[in-house]
Amino acid sequence: MERGSFGRVVVGSVVTTLALTGCQLKNGGEDLVNGKQQFVTNCAACHTLARAGASGVTGPNLDEAFRQSRADGMKDSTFAGIVEGQIAHPNRNAQVDPATGKELPLMKPGIVTGEDARDVAAYVASAVAEPGEDTGPLAAVGASKAEGTATEQGGTLDIPVAASGLAYKFADATATAGQVTVKSENPQPTQHDIAIEGNGVNEKGEVVTSGGVSQFSADLKPGTYTFFCSVPGHREGGMEGKLTVK
């Protein structure tokens, strides 16, 4: 989910509406495992939700947005009603990236629908601003984390995007000095690219989604570089790593 969804002002206004109408989403046996999976696939790149392993920064931090309401004793059913309402009718006010001055992408209405939307709402309601970690079947689902080292082979350095969340599959990378093609396949519906900077090099590939490959070629000298996603907010959310060229 992208910027413009669960801000504190939105939470306050929707809570007021729910209080006036008496409308709350009842627990109807929603599938929390599916809800978490849908959240990490469609929402984790833009929102922070600790129990889902989500660290997105282009949308509101859900834990912070609901923390005071949780402390005040608000029920999960009310949280779920707020979340489902925002999925169906997100805030459409344009937001600007303070670092670049560019407008950030708005959350699309109905990014998940039907039972999936209800499952997402139920999971977020159960997890938001809650300490600790998910247990049982929920523990097996979550945003991916970068691990290990990508190694250049035959002049190609492959650093794929992880299956979900703000992460590449690898935490760092190594390459041999010379002409190197850097490529990154993105399996997510969220847009990502691959970029590097350092030692006078500043290159990036195209932004891609859903199986697309972002790539470029550069002449790399020995030294240390940073690879990262240049989509606004993604690097800040943790989508970067160290590239060592020898």
Side-chain angles (χ1 to χ4, degrees), residues 30-99:
E30 292 84 0
D31 184 342
L32 297 186
V33 173
N34 179 58
K36 185 176 183 180
Q37 184 61 65
Q38 293 293 328
F39 179 87
V40 299
T41 298
N42 296 287
C43 315
C46 297
H47 294 287
T48 290
L49 181 59
R51 290 184 75 112
S55 59
V57 298
T58 57
N61 180 318
L62 300 183
D63 290 315
E64 291 304 317
F66 287 98
R67 193 173 306 282
Q68 188 58 53
S69 296
R70 174 75 76 188
D72 290 343
M74 187 175 291
K75 296 181 179 179
D76 285 0
S77 57
T78 301
F79 291 155
I82 293 168
V83 174
E84 190 171 358
Q86 288 299 307
I87 291 172
H89 305 289
N91 179 6
R92 305 305 292 164
N93 294 326
Q95 303 289 327
V96 175
D97 181 1

Side-chain angles (χ1 to χ4, degrees), residues 22-219:
C23 175
Q24 291 186 340
L25 183 68
K26 296 181 179 179
N27 184 347
E30 292 84 0
D31 184 342
L32 297 186
V33 173
N34 179 58
K36 185 176 183 180
Q37 184 61 65
Q38 293 293 328
F39 179 87
V40 299
T41 298
N42 296 287
C43 315
C46 297
H47 294 287
T48 290
L49 181 59
R51 290 184 75 112
S55 59
V57 298
T58 57
N61 180 318
L62 300 183
D63 290 315
E64 291 304 317
F66 287 98
R67 193 173 306 282
Q68 188 58 53
S69 296
R70 174 75 76 188
D72 290 343
M74 187 175 291
K75 296 181 179 179
D76 285 0
S77 57
T78 301
F79 291 155
I82 293 168
V83 174
E84 190 171 358
Q86 288 299 307
I87 291 172
H89 305 289
N91 179 6
R92 305 305 292 164
N93 294 326
Q95 303 289 327
V96 175
D97 181 1
T100 65
K102 296 181 179 180
E103 283 191 8
L104 292 166
L106 293 171
M107 176 180 166
K108 298 176 182 178
I111 193 168
V112 287
T113 59
E115 291 296 331
D116 286 341
R118 285 186 282 277
D119 290 345
V120 168
Y123 172 70
V124 172
S126 71
V128 73
E130 284 284 9
E133 300 179 351
D134 286 342
T135 59
L138 285 172
V141 182
S144 304
K145 295 182 179 180
E147 297 179 333
T149 301
T151 303
E152 169 258 325
Q153 296 182 347
T156 298
L157 178 59
D158 192 3
I159 309 175
V161 175
S164 61
L166 290 182
Y168 294 104
K169 285 186 177 181
F170 298 101
D172 49 36
T174 62
T176 302
Q179 193 73 16
V180 176
T181 296
V182 181
K183 59 186 295 186
S184 179
E185 181 177 0
N186 176 18
Q188 300 183 17
T190 302
Q191 293 184 333
H192 296 295
D193 65 9
I194 184 76
I196 63 169
E197 65 180 16
N199 292 327
V201 176
N202 192 339
E203 298 282 352
K204 68 177 181 178
E206 63 273 35
V207 175
V208 297
T209 184
S210 303
V213 178
S214 177
Q215 69 177 48
F216 60 87
S217 294
D219 186 10

Side-chain angles (χ1 to χ4, degrees), residues 218-239:
D219 186 10
L220 303 180
K221 299 176 181 179
T224 301
Y225 301 77
T226 300
F227 65 86
F228 60 97
C229 179
S230 71
V231 174
H234 290 191
R235 185 178 187 179
E236 295 83 350
M239 202 168 182

